[in-house]
Amino acid sequence: MLTKEQIDTFIDNRMRRESIMPGTPDAEVMHEGAQEALAIAAQINGAYRTPEEIRELFSKLIGKPAPEDFRIFPPFTSDFGKNITVGRNVFFNSGCRLQDQGGITIGDNVLVGHNVVMATLDHDLDPAKRAVLHCAPIVIGDDVWIGANATIAKGVTIGDGAVVAAGAVVTRDVPPRTIVGGVPAHVIKTID
């Protein structure tokens, strides 16, 4: 079981965007955290749970209380869990996957469609350093709607009131009150 100090140090290092090097204490925390996250996800996904039970398990996953109006339709997975923050009235539809080691912050009134992936890590491009992981946070503003099968890449901020179209691959910031879509995602139009 990870200690609060281990988790806090890991998260502080990710906030500074330090890479995760194989064989380091951060790598060990990441791997142990993944095992804890997998165990909690198995509880969330293994049988019917009431919304209250899911919220309680999700709170255990993220290491802090989830708002009372937070909802998930399982299955749901997270690679770490402890670097996720959610606002009020957030809904995840089924099949979502959060790779949160680099940090995922989600604002209020956010709708996340089926099978959305949020990935805060990339492997190094140099084959000799491929096991090195580079991290950057994902920030989702208030009143955002992310369509089914979208992928949000590391380092992306999605502005308040934006919409990410189904199937989009978002690799750069999304301005507030815009609709983005495509691969890679681009602005389709603004929302009046």
Side-chain angles (χ1 to χ4, degrees):
M1 185 85 159
L2 293 171
T3 67
K4 181 177 181 339
E5 182 181 354
Q6 287 174 304
I7 294 166
D8 290 347
T9 298
F10 180 89
I11 291 172
D12 287 346
N13 291 344
R14 301 299 71 77
M15 288 177 66
R16 289 190 299 277
R17 296 192 183 196
E18 291 182 13
S19 297
I20 301 172
M21 309 298 287
T24 63
D26 273 352
E28 291 304 315
V29 168
M30 180 181 72
H31 293 302
E32 189 171 336
Q35 294 307 304
E36 291 179 18
L38 287 169
I40 295 168
Q43 292 176 25
I44 290 171
N45 301 326
Y48 171 76
R49 306 275 182 209
T50 65
E52 294 78 19
E53 291 169 326
I54 288 177
R55 188 175 55 256
E56 183 179 317
L57 287 165
F58 186 80
S59 295
K60 184 177 176 184
L61 174 73
I62 66 173
K64 52 192 164 270
E68 287 187 21
D69 52 8
F70 175 79
R71 298 286 184 264
I72 294 175
F73 284 177
F76 172 88
T77 60
S78 166
D79 287 0
F80 186 69
K82 300 297 189 265
N83 210 359
I84 298 171
T85 302
V86 294
R88 298 200 46 82
N89 197 33
V90 171
F91 172 71
F92 282 96
N93 218 321
S94 62
C96 291
R97 302 188 183 313
L98 275 58
Q99 182 190 57
D100 65 288
Q101 291 92 333
I104 296 174
T105 302
I106 299 172
D108 296 334
N109 307 309
V110 173
L111 301 174
V112 183
H114 291 88
N115 303 314
V116 167
V117 173
M118 297 183 194
T120 64
L121 300 177
D122 277 336
H123 293 274
D124 200 279
L125 294 177
D126 180 349
K129 299 177 185 176
R130 194 62 44 91
V132 175
L133 298 171
H134 304 290
C135 310
I138 292 172
V139 178
I140 311 294
D142 295 338
D143 305 305
V144 170
W145 173 23
I146 302 173
N149 297 303
T151 298
I152 314 300
K154 73 179 179 94
V156 167
T157 295
I158 299 177
D160 293 347
V163 175
V164 176
V169 177
V170 184
T171 59
R172 56 184 176 232
D173 291 352
V174 176
R177 300 188 60 80
T178 59
I179 300 172
V180 298
V183 179
H186 60 278
V187 174
I188 296 171
K189 71 179 205 174
T190 59
I191 300 169
D192 295 332

Coordinates of all heavy atoms in Angstrom, one line a residue, residues 7-98:
I7 N 2.8 9.1 -2.6 CA 1.9 9.6 -3.6 C 2.1 11.1 -3.8 O 2.2 11.6 -5.0 CB 0.4 9.3 -3.2 CG1 0.2 7.8 -3.2 CG2 -0.6 10.0 -4.1 CD1 -1.1 7.4 -2.5
D8 N 2.2 11.8 -2.7 CA 2.5 13.3 -2.9 C 3.7 13.6 -3.6 O 3.8 14.5 -4.5 CB 2.5 14.0 -1.5 CG 1.1 14.0 -0.8 OD1 0.1 13.7 -1.5 OD2 1.1 14.3 0.4
T9 N 4.8 12.9 -3.3 CA 6.1 13.1 -4.0 C 5.9 12.8 -5.5 O 6.4 13.5 -6.4 CB 7.2 12.2 -3.4 OG1 7.4 12.6 -2.0 CG2 8.5 12.4 -4.2
F10 N 5.3 11.7 -5.8 CA 5.1 11.3 -7.2 C 4.3 12.4 -7.9 O 4.7 12.8 -9.0 CB 4.3 9.9 -7.3 CG 4.0 9.5 -8.7 CD1 4.9 8.7 -9.3 CD2 2.8 9.8 -9.3 CE1 4.7 8.2 -10.6 CE2 2.6 9.4 -10.6 CZ 3.5 8.6 -11.2
I11 N 3.2 12.8 -7.3 CA 2.4 13.9 -8.0 C 3.1 15.2 -8.1 O 3.1 15.8 -9.2 CB 1.0 14.0 -7.2 CG1 0.2 12.8 -7.4 CG2 0.3 15.3 -7.7 CD1 -1.1 12.7 -6.6
D12 N 3.9 15.6 -7.1 CA 4.7 16.8 -7.2 C 5.7 16.7 -8.3 O 5.9 17.6 -9.1 CB 5.5 17.0 -5.9 CG 4.6 17.5 -4.8 OD1 3.4 17.9 -5.0 OD2 5.1 17.5 -3.6
N13 N 6.3 15.5 -8.5 CA 7.3 15.3 -9.6 C 6.6 15.4 -11.0 O 7.1 15.9 -11.9 CB 8.0 14.0 -9.5 CG 9.0 14.0 -8.3 OD1 9.3 15.0 -7.8 ND2 9.4 12.8 -7.9
R14 N 5.3 14.9 -11.1 CA 4.6 15.0 -12.3 C 4.2 16.5 -12.6 O 4.2 16.9 -13.7 CB 3.3 14.2 -12.3 CG 3.6 12.7 -12.1 CD 4.4 11.9 -13.1 NE 5.8 12.2 -13.1 CZ 6.7 11.8 -12.2 NH1 6.4 11.0 -11.2 NH2 8.0 12.1 -12.3
M15 N 3.9 17.2 -11.5 CA 3.5 18.7 -11.7 C 4.7 19.4 -12.3 O 4.5 20.4 -13.0 CB 3.1 19.3 -10.4 CG 1.7 18.8 -10.0 SD 1.2 19.4 -8.4 CE 1.0 21.2 -8.7
R16 N 5.9 19.0 -12.0 CA 7.1 19.6 -12.5 C 7.5 19.0 -13.9 O 8.5 19.3 -14.5 CB 8.3 19.5 -11.6 CG 8.2 20.3 -10.3 CD 9.5 20.3 -9.5 NE 9.8 19.0 -9.0 CZ 9.4 18.5 -7.9 NH1 8.5 19.1 -7.2 NH2 9.8 17.3 -7.5
R17 N 6.6 18.1 -14.4 CA 6.8 17.4 -15.6 C 8.1 16.6 -15.7 O 8.6 16.5 -16.8 CB 6.6 18.4 -16.8 CG 5.2 19.0 -16.9 CD 5.0 19.7 -18.2 NE 3.6 20.3 -18.1 CZ 3.0 20.7 -19.2 NH1 3.6 20.6 -20.4 NH2 1.8 21.2 -19.1
E18 N 8.5 16.1 -14.6 CA 9.7 15.2 -14.6 C 9.3 13.9 -15.2 O 8.2 13.4 -15.0 CB 10.1 15.0 -13.2 CG 10.8 16.2 -12.5 CD 11.3 15.9 -11.1 OE1 11.4 14.7 -10.7 OE2 11.6 16.8 -10.4
S19 N 10.2 13.4 -16.1 CA 10.0 12.1 -16.7 C 10.1 11.0 -15.7 O 10.7 11.1 -14.6 CB 11.0 11.9 -17.8 OG 10.8 12.8 -18.8
I20 N 9.4 9.9 -16.0 CA 9.5 8.7 -15.1 C 10.6 7.8 -15.7 O 10.4 7.3 -16.8 CB 8.2 8.0 -15.0 CG1 7.1 9.0 -14.4 CG2 8.3 6.7 -14.1 CD1 5.7 8.4 -14.4
M21 N 11.7 7.6 -15.0 CA 12.8 6.8 -15.4 C 12.6 5.4 -14.9 O 12.3 5.2 -13.7 CB 14.1 7.4 -15.0 CG 14.2 8.9 -15.3 SD 14.2 9.2 -17.1 CE 15.8 8.6 -17.5
P22 N 12.9 4.3 -15.7 CA 12.8 3.0 -15.2 C 13.8 2.8 -14.0 O 14.8 3.4 -13.9 CB 13.3 2.1 -16.4 CG 13.2 3.0 -17.5 CD 13.3 4.4 -17.1
G23 N 13.3 2.0 -13.0 CA 14.1 1.6 -11.9 C 14.2 2.7 -10.8 O 14.9 2.5 -9.8
T24 N 13.5 3.8 -10.9 CA 13.5 4.8 -9.9 C 12.3 4.7 -8.9 O 11.4 3.9 -9.2 CB 13.4 6.2 -10.6 OG1 12.1 6.3 -11.2 CG2 14.5 6.4 -11.6
P25 N 12.4 5.4 -7.8 CA 11.3 5.3 -6.9 C 9.9 5.7 -7.5 O 8.9 5.1 -7.2 CB 11.7 6.3 -5.7 CG 13.1 6.2 -5.7 CD 13.5 6.1 -7.2
D26 N 10.0 6.7 -8.4 CA 8.7 7.1 -9.1 C 8.2 5.9 -9.9 O 7.0 5.7 -10.0 CB 9.0 8.3 -10.0 CG 8.8 9.6 -9.3 OD1 8.3 9.6 -8.1 OD2 9.1 10.7 -9.9
A27 N 9.0 5.2 -10.6 CA 8.6 4.0 -11.4 C 7.9 3.0 -10.5 O 6.9 2.4 -10.8 CB 9.7 3.4 -12.2
E28 N 8.5 2.8 -9.3 CA 8.0 1.8 -8.4 C 6.6 2.3 -7.9 O 5.7 1.5 -7.8 CB 8.9 1.6 -7.2 CG 10.2 0.8 -7.6 CD 9.9 -0.5 -8.3 OE1 9.0 -1.3 -7.8 OE2 10.5 -0.8 -9.3
V29 N 6.5 3.6 -7.6 CA 5.2 4.1 -7.1 C 4.2 4.0 -8.2 O 3.0 3.6 -8.0 CB 5.3 5.6 -6.7 CG1 4.0 6.3 -6.5 CG2 6.2 5.7 -5.4
M30 N 4.6 4.3 -9.5 CA 3.6 4.1 -10.6 C 3.1 2.7 -10.7 O 1.9 2.4 -10.9 CB 4.3 4.6 -11.9 CG 3.4 4.5 -13.1 SD 4.2 4.9 -14.6 CE 5.3 3.6 -14.9
H31 N 4.0 1.7 -10.6 CA 3.7 0.3 -10.7 C 2.8 -0.2 -9.6 O 1.8 -0.8 -9.8 CB 4.9 -0.6 -10.9 CG 5.6 -0.3 -12.2 ND1 5.0 -0.5 -13.4 CD2 6.9 0.1 -12.4 CE1 5.9 -0.2 -14.4 NE2 7.0 0.2 -13.8
E32 N 3.1 0.2 -8.4 CA 2.3 -0.2 -7.2 C 0.9 0.5 -7.3 O -0.1 -0.1 -7.0 CB 3.0 0.2 -5.9 CG 2.3 -0.4 -4.7 CD 3.0 -0.3 -3.4 OE1 4.3 -0.2 -3.4 OE2 2.4 -0.3 -2.4
G33 N 0.9 1.8 -7.7 CA -0.3 2.5 -7.8 C -1.2 1.9 -8.9 O -2.4 1.8 -8.7
A34 N -0.6 1.4 -9.9 CA -1.4 0.7 -11.0 C -2.1 -0.5 -10.4 O -3.2 -0.8 -10.8 CB -0.5 0.4 -12.2
Q35 N -1.4 -1.3 -9.6 CA -2.0 -2.5 -9.0 C -3.2 -2.1 -8.1 O -4.2 -2.8 -8.2 CB -0.9 -3.3 -8.2 CG 0.1 -3.9 -9.1 CD -0.4 -4.7 -10.3 OE1 -1.2 -5.6 -10.1 NE2 -0.1 -4.3 -11.5
E36 N -3.0 -1.1 -7.3 CA -4.1 -0.6 -6.5 C -5.3 -0.2 -7.4 O -6.5 -0.5 -7.1 CB -3.7 0.5 -5.6 CG -2.7 0.1 -4.5 CD -2.3 1.2 -3.6 OE1 -3.0 2.3 -3.6 OE2 -1.3 1.1 -2.9
A37 N -5.0 0.6 -8.4 CA -6.1 1.1 -9.3 C -6.8 -0.1 -10.0 O -8.0 -0.1 -10.2 CB -5.5 2.0 -10.4
L38 N -6.0 -1.1 -10.4 CA -6.6 -2.3 -11.1 C -7.6 -3.0 -10.1 O -8.6 -3.5 -10.5 CB -5.5 -3.2 -11.6 CG -4.8 -2.8 -12.8 CD1 -3.5 -3.7 -13.0 CD2 -5.7 -2.8 -14.0
A39 N -7.2 -3.1 -8.8 CA -8.0 -3.8 -7.9 C -9.3 -3.1 -7.6 O -10.4 -3.7 -7.5 CB -7.2 -4.0 -6.5
I40 N -9.2 -1.7 -7.6 CA -10.5 -0.9 -7.4 C -11.3 -1.0 -8.6 O -12.5 -1.1 -8.5 CB -10.1 0.5 -7.0 CG1 -9.4 0.5 -5.6 CG2 -11.4 1.4 -6.9 CD1 -8.7 1.8 -5.2
A41 N -10.7 -0.9 -9.8 CA -11.5 -1.0 -11.0 C -12.2 -2.3 -11.1 O -13.3 -2.4 -11.6 CB -10.6 -0.8 -12.2
A42 N -11.6 -3.4 -10.7 CA -12.2 -4.7 -10.7 C -13.5 -4.7 -9.8 O -14.5 -5.3 -10.2 CB -11.2 -5.8 -10.2
Q43 N -13.4 -4.0 -8.7 CA -14.6 -3.9 -7.9 C -15.7 -3.1 -8.5 O -16.9 -3.4 -8.5 CB -14.2 -3.3 -6.5 CG -13.3 -4.1 -5.7 CD -12.9 -3.4 -4.4 OE1 -13.6 -2.5 -3.9 NE2 -11.8 -3.8 -3.8
I44 N -15.3 -2.0 -9.2 CA -16.3 -1.1 -9.9 C -16.9 -1.9 -11.0 O -18.1 -1.8 -11.2 CB -15.6 0.2 -10.4 CG1 -15.2 1.1 -9.3 CG2 -16.5 0.9 -11.4 CD1 -14.3 2.3 -9.7
N45 N -16.1 -2.7 -11.8 CA -16.6 -3.3 -13.0 C -17.1 -4.7 -12.8 O -17.7 -5.2 -13.7 CB -15.4 -3.3 -14.0 CG -14.9 -1.9 -14.3 OD1 -15.7 -1.0 -14.3 ND2 -13.6 -1.8 -14.6
G46 N -16.8 -5.3 -11.7 CA -17.1 -6.8 -11.5 C -18.5 -7.2 -11.3 O -18.9 -8.3 -11.5
A47 N -19.4 -6.3 -10.9 CA -20.8 -6.6 -10.6 C -21.6 -5.3 -10.5 O -21.0 -4.2 -10.5 CB -20.9 -7.3 -9.2
Y48 N -22.9 -5.4 -10.5 CA -23.7 -4.2 -10.4 C -23.4 -3.5 -9.1 O -23.3 -4.1 -8.0 CB -25.2 -4.5 -10.4 CG -26.0 -3.2 -10.1 CD1 -26.1 -2.2 -11.1 CD2 -26.5 -3.0 -8.9 CE1 -26.8 -1.1 -10.8 CE2 -27.2 -1.9 -8.5 CZ -27.4 -0.9 -9.5 OH -28.0 0.3 -9.2
R49 N -23.2 -2.2 -9.2 CA -23.0 -1.3 -8.0 C -24.0 -0.2 -8.1 O -24.2 0.4 -9.2 CB -21.6 -0.8 -7.9 CG -20.5 -1.8 -8.0 CD -20.2 -2.4 -6.7 NE -19.1 -3.3 -6.8 CZ -18.9 -4.3 -6.0 NH1 -19.8 -4.6 -5.0 NH2 -17.9 -5.1 -6.1
T50 N -24.5 0.3 -6.9 CA -25.3 1.4 -6.9 C -24.5 2.7 -7.2 O -23.2 2.6 -7.1 CB -26.0 1.6 -5.6 OG1 -25.0 1.9 -4.6 CG2 -26.8 0.4 -5.2
P51 N -25.1 3.8 -7.6 CA -24.3 5.0 -7.8 C -23.5 5.4 -6.6 O -22.4 5.8 -6.7 CB -25.3 6.0 -8.2 CG -26.4 5.3 -8.8 CD -26.5 4.0 -8.1
E52 N -24.1 5.2 -5.4 CA -23.4 5.5 -4.2 C -22.1 4.6 -4.0 O -21.1 5.1 -3.6 CB -24.3 5.4 -3.0 CG -25.5 6.4 -3.0 CD -26.6 6.0 -3.9 OE1 -26.7 4.8 -4.4 OE2 -27.4 6.9 -4.3
E53 N -22.3 3.3 -4.2 CA -21.2 2.4 -4.1 C -20.0 2.7 -5.1 O -18.9 2.7 -4.8 CB -21.6 1.0 -4.3 CG -22.5 0.4 -3.2 CD -23.2 -0.9 -3.5 OE1 -23.5 -1.1 -4.7 OE2 -23.3 -1.7 -2.6
I54 N -20.4 3.1 -6.3 CA -19.4 3.4 -7.3 C -18.7 4.7 -6.9 O -17.5 4.8 -7.0 CB -20.1 3.6 -8.7 CG1 -20.4 2.2 -9.3 CG2 -19.1 4.3 -9.7 CD1 -21.1 2.2 -10.6
R55 N -19.5 5.7 -6.4 CA -18.8 6.9 -6.0 C -17.9 6.7 -4.8 O -16.8 7.2 -4.8 CB -19.9 8.0 -5.6 CG -19.3 9.3 -5.3 CD -20.4 10.4 -5.0 NE -21.3 10.0 -4.0 CZ -22.5 9.6 -4.1 NH1 -23.0 9.6 -5.3 NH2 -23.3 9.3 -3.1
E56 N -18.2 5.8 -3.9 CA -17.3 5.4 -2.8 C -16.1 4.7 -3.3 O -15.0 5.1 -2.9 CB -18.1 4.5 -1.8 CG -17.3 4.1 -0.6 CD -18.1 3.2 0.3 OE1 -19.3 3.5 0.5 OE2 -17.5 2.3 0.8
L57 N -16.2 3.8 -4.3 CA -15.0 3.2 -4.8 C -14.2 4.2 -5.6 O -12.9 4.1 -5.5 CB -15.4 2.0 -5.7 CG -16.0 0.8 -4.9 CD1 -16.7 -0.2 -5.9 CD2 -14.8 0.1 -4.2
F58 N -14.8 5.1 -6.4 CA -14.1 6.1 -7.1 C -13.3 7.0 -6.2 O -12.2 7.3 -6.4 CB -15.0 6.9 -8.0 CG -14.3 7.8 -9.0 CD1 -13.7 7.3 -10.1 CD2 -14.2 9.1 -8.7 CE1 -13.0 8.2 -11.0 CE2 -13.5 10.0 -9.5 CZ -12.9 9.5 -10.7
S59 N -13.9 7.3 -5.1 CA -13.3 8.2 -4.1 C -12.0 7.5 -3.5 O -11.0 8.1 -3.3 CB -14.2 8.5 -2.9 OG -15.3 9.3 -3.4
K60 N -12.1 6.2 -3.3 CA -11.0 5.4 -2.9 C -9.9 5.4 -3.9 O -8.7 5.5 -3.6 CB -11.4 4.0 -2.6 CG -10.4 3.1 -2.0 CD -11.0 1.7 -1.7 CE -9.9 0.7 -1.2 NZ -10.4 -0.6 -0.9
L61 N -10.3 5.3 -5.2 CA -9.4 5.3 -6.3 C -8.6 6.6 -6.4 O -7.4 6.5 -6.5 CB -10.1 5.0 -7.6 CG -9.3 5.2 -8.9 CD1 -8.4 4.0 -9.1 CD2 -10.2 5.3 -10.1
I62 N -9.3 7.7 -6.3 CA -8.6 9.0 -6.4 C -8.0 9.5 -5.1 O -7.3 10.5 -5.1 CB -9.5 10.1 -7.1 CG1 -10.7 10.4 -6.2 CG2 -9.9 9.6 -8.5 CD1 -11.5 11.6 -6.7
G63 N -8.3 8.9 -4.0 CA -7.7 9.3 -2.7 C -8.3 10.5 -2.1 O -7.7 11.1 -1.2
K64 N -9.5 10.9 -2.5 CA -10.3 12.0 -2.0 C -11.7 11.9 -2.3 O -12.1 11.2 -3.2 CB -9.7 13.4 -2.5 CG -9.6 13.5 -4.0 CD -8.8 14.7 -4.4 CE -8.3 14.6 -5.9 NZ -7.1 13.9 -6.1
P65 N -12.6 12.6 -1.6 CA -14.0 12.4 -1.9 C -14.4 12.9 -3.2 O -14.1 14.0 -3.7 CB -14.7 13.2 -0.8 CG -13.7 13.5 0.3 CD -12.3 13.4 -0.5
A66 N -15.2 12.1 -3.9 CA -15.8 12.5 -5.2 C -17.1 13.2 -4.8 O -17.8 12.9 -3.9 CB -16.1 11.3 -6.1
P67 N -17.5 14.3 -5.6 CA -18.8 15.0 -5.3 C -20.0 14.0 -5.3 O -20.0 13.0 -6.0 CB -18.9 16.0 -6.4 CG -17.5 16.2 -6.9 CD -16.8 14.9 -6.7
E68 N -21.0 14.3 -4.6 CA -22.2 13.5 -4.5 C -22.9 13.3 -5.8 O -23.6 12.3 -6.0 CB -23.2 14.0 -3.4 CG -22.7 13.9 -2.0 CD -23.7 14.3 -1.0 OE1 -24.9 14.3 -1.3 OE2 -23.3 14.6 0.1
D69 N -22.8 14.2 -6.7 CA -23.4 14.1 -8.0 C -22.5 13.5 -9.1 O -22.9 13.5 -10.3 CB -24.0 15.4 -8.5 CG -23.0 16.6 -8.4 OD1 -21.8 16.3 -8.2 OD2 -23.4 17.7 -8.6
F70 N -21.4 13.0 -8.7 CA -20.5 12.3 -9.7 C -21.1 11.0 -10.1 O -21.6 10.2 -9.3 CB -19.1 12.1 -9.0 CG -18.2 11.3 -9.9 CD1 -17.5 11.9 -10.9 CD2 -17.9 10.0 -9.7 CE1 -16.6 11.2 -11.7 CE2 -17.1 9.2 -10.5 CZ -16.4 9.9 -11.5
R71 N -21.0 10.6 -11.4 CA -21.5 9.4 -11.9 C -20.6 8.7 -12.9 O -20.0 9.4 -13.7 CB -22.9 9.6 -12.6 CG -24.0 10.1 -11.7 CD -24.5 9.0 -10.7 NE -25.6 9.5 -9.9 CZ -25.5 10.0 -8.7 NH1 -24.3 10.1 -8.1 NH2 -26.5 10.4 -8.0
I72 N -20.6 7.4 -12.9 CA -19.9 6.5 -13.9 C -20.8 5.4 -14.3 O -21.4 4.8 -13.4 CB -18.6 5.9 -13.3 CG1 -17.5 6.9 -13.0 CG2 -18.0 4.9 -14.3 CD1 -16.3 6.3 -12.4
F73 N -20.8 5.1 -15.6 CA -21.4 3.8 -16.1 C -20.2 2.9 -16.4 O -19.4 3.2 -17.3 CB -22.2 4.0 -17.3 CG -23.6 4.6 -17.1 CD1 -24.4 4.9 -18.2 CD2 -24.1 4.9 -15.9 CE1 -25.7 5.4 -18.0 CE2 -25.3 5.5 -15.7 CZ -26.1 5.7 -16.8
P74 N -20.0 1.9 -15.6 CA -18.9 1.0 -15.9 C -19.0 0.3 -17.2 O -20.1 0.2 -17.8 CB -19.0 -0.1 -14.7 CG -19.8 0.6 -13.7 CD -20.8 1.5 -14.4
P75 N -18.0 -0.3 -17.8 CA -16.7 -0.4 -17.1 C -15.9 0.9 -17.2 O -16.1 1.7 -18.1 CB -16.0 -1.5 -17.9 CG -16.6 -1.4 -19.3 CD -18.0 -1.0 -19.0
F76 N -14.9 1.0 -16.3 CA -14.1 2.2 -16.2 C -12.7 1.8 -15.7 O -12.6 0.9 -14.8 CB -14.7 3.2 -15.2 CG -13.8 4.4 -14.8 CD1 -13.8 5.5 -15.6 CD2 -12.9 4.3 -13.8 CE1 -13.0 6.6 -15.3 CE2 -12.1 5.4 -13.5 CZ -12.2 6.5 -14.2
T77 N -11.7 2.3 -16.3 CA -10.3 2.0 -15.8 C -9.5 3.2 -15.6 O -9.7 4.2 -16.3 CB -9.6 1.0 -16.7 OG1 -9.4 1.5 -18.0 CG2 -10.3 -0.4 -16.8
S78 N -8.5 3.1 -14.7 CA -7.5 4.1 -14.5 C -6.2 3.4 -14.3 O -6.1 2.4 -13.7 CB -7.9 5.0 -13.3 OG -6.8 5.7 -12.9
D79 N -5.1 4.0 -14.8 CA -3.7 3.4 -14.7 C -3.1 3.7 -13.3 O -2.1 3.1 -12.9 CB -2.8 3.9 -15.7 CG -3.1 3.3 -17.1 OD1 -4.1 2.5 -17.2 OD2 -2.4 3.7 -18.1
F80 N -3.6 4.8 -12.6 CA -3.0 5.2 -11.3 C -4.0 5.6 -10.3 O -4.1 5.2 -9.2 CB -2.0 6.3 -11.6 CG -1.2 6.7 -10.4 CD1 -0.2 5.8 -9.8 CD2 -1.3 7.9 -9.8 CE1 0.5 6.2 -8.7 CE2 -0.6 8.3 -8.7 CZ 0.3 7.4 -8.1
G81 N -4.9 6.5 -10.7 CA -6.0 6.9 -9.9 C -5.8 8.1 -9.0 O -6.6 9.0 -8.9
K82 N -4.7 8.2 -8.4 CA -4.4 9.2 -7.4 C -4.1 10.6 -7.9 O -4.0 11.5 -7.2 CB -3.3 8.8 -6.4 CG -3.5 7.5 -5.7 CD -4.7 7.5 -4.8 CE -4.8 6.3 -3.9 NZ -5.7 5.3 -4.4
N83 N -4.0 10.7 -9.2 CA -3.8 12.0 -9.9 C -4.9 12.5 -10.7 O -4.8 13.1 -11.8 CB -2.4 12.0 -10.6 CG -1.8 13.3 -10.7 OD1 -2.3 14.3 -10.1 ND2 -0.6 13.4 -11.3
I84 N -6.1 12.2 -10.2 CA -7.4 12.6 -10.9 C -8.1 13.5 -9.9 O -8.3 13.2 -8.7 CB -8.3 11.4 -11.2 CG1 -7.6 10.4 -12.2 CG2 -9.7 11.9 -11.7 CD1 -8.4 9.1 -12.4
T85 N -8.6 14.6 -10.4 CA -9.5 15.5 -9.7 C -10.8 15.8 -10.5 O -10.6 16.1 -11.7 CB -8.8 16.8 -9.4 OG1 -7.6 16.6 -8.6 CG2 -9.7 17.8 -8.6
V86 N -11.9 15.6 -9.9 CA -13.2 15.9 -10.6 C -14.0 16.9 -9.9 O -14.0 17.0 -8.7 CB -14.0 14.6 -10.8 CG1 -13.3 13.6 -11.7 CG2 -14.4 13.9 -9.5
G87 N -14.7 17.7 -10.7 CA -15.6 18.7 -10.2 C -17.0 18.1 -10.0 O -17.2 16.9 -10.0
R88 N -17.9 19.0 -9.8 CA -19.3 18.6 -9.5 C -20.0 18.3 -10.8 O -19.7 18.8 -11.9 CB -20.1 19.8 -8.9 CG -19.5 20.1 -7.5 CD -20.4 20.9 -6.6 NE -21.7 20.4 -6.5 CZ -22.1 19.3 -5.7 NH1 -21.2 18.7 -5.0 NH2 -23.3 18.9 -5.7
N89 N -21.0 17.4 -10.7 CA -21.9 17.0 -11.8 C -21.1 16.5 -13.0 O -21.3 16.9 -14.2 CB -22.8 18.2 -12.2 CG -24.0 17.7 -13.0 OD1 -24.5 16.6 -12.9 ND2 -24.4 18.6 -14.0
V90 N -20.1 15.6 -12.8 CA -19.3 15.0 -13.9 C -19.9 13.6 -14.1 O -20.3 12.8 -13.2 CB -17.9 14.8 -13.5 CG1 -17.1 14.0 -14.5 CG2 -17.3 16.2 -13.3
F91 N -20.0 13.2 -15.4 CA -20.6 11.9 -15.8 C -19.6 11.3 -16.8 O -19.2 11.9 -17.8 CB -21.9 12.1 -16.5 CG -22.4 10.8 -17.1 CD1 -22.8 9.7 -16.3 CD2 -22.5 10.6 -18.5 CE1 -23.3 8.5 -16.9 CE2 -23.0 9.5 -19.0 CZ -23.3 8.4 -18.2
F92 N -19.2 10.0 -16.5 CA -18.4 9.2 -17.5 C -19.3 8.1 -18.0 O -19.8 7.3 -17.2 CB -17.2 8.5 -16.7 CG -16.1 9.4 -16.5 CD1 -15.9 10.1 -15.3 CD2 -15.1 9.6 -17.5 CE1 -14.8 10.9 -15.1 CE2 -14.0 10.4 -17.3 CZ -13.9 11.1 -16.1
N93 N -19.5 8.0 -19.3 CA -20.2 6.9 -19.9 C -19.3 5.7 -19.9 O -18.1 5.7 -19.6 CB -20.8 7.2 -21.3 CG -22.1 6.7 -21.5 OD1 -22.4 5.5 -21.1 ND2 -23.0 7.4 -22.2
S94 N -19.8 4.5 -20.3 CA -19.1 3.3 -20.2 C -17.9 3.2 -21.1 O -17.8 3.8 -22.1 CB -20.0 2.1 -20.4 OG -20.5 2.1 -21.8
G95 N -16.9 2.5 -20.6 CA -15.7 2.2 -21.4 C -14.6 3.2 -21.3 O -13.6 3.1 -22.1
C96 N -14.7 4.2 -20.4 CA -13.6 5.2 -20.4 C -12.4 4.7 -19.7 O -12.4 3.9 -18.8 CB -14.2 6.5 -19.6 SG -15.4 7.3 -20.5
R97 N -11.2 5.2 -20.2 CA -9.9 4.8 -19.7 C -9.1 6.1 -19.4 O -8.9 6.9 -20.3 CB -9.2 4.0 -20.7 CG -10.0 2.7 -21.1 CD -9.3 1.8 -22.0 NE -9.9 0.6 -22.4 CZ -10.7 -0.2 -21.7 NH1 -10.9 0.0 -20.5 NH2 -11.2 -1.3 -22.3
L98 N -8.6 6.2 -18.2 CA -7.8 7.4 -17.8 C -6.4 6.9 -17.4 O -6.3 6.1 -16.5 CB -8.5 8.1 -16.6 CG -9.6 9.1 -17.0 CD1 -10.7 8.5 -17.7 CD2 -10.1 9.8 -15.7

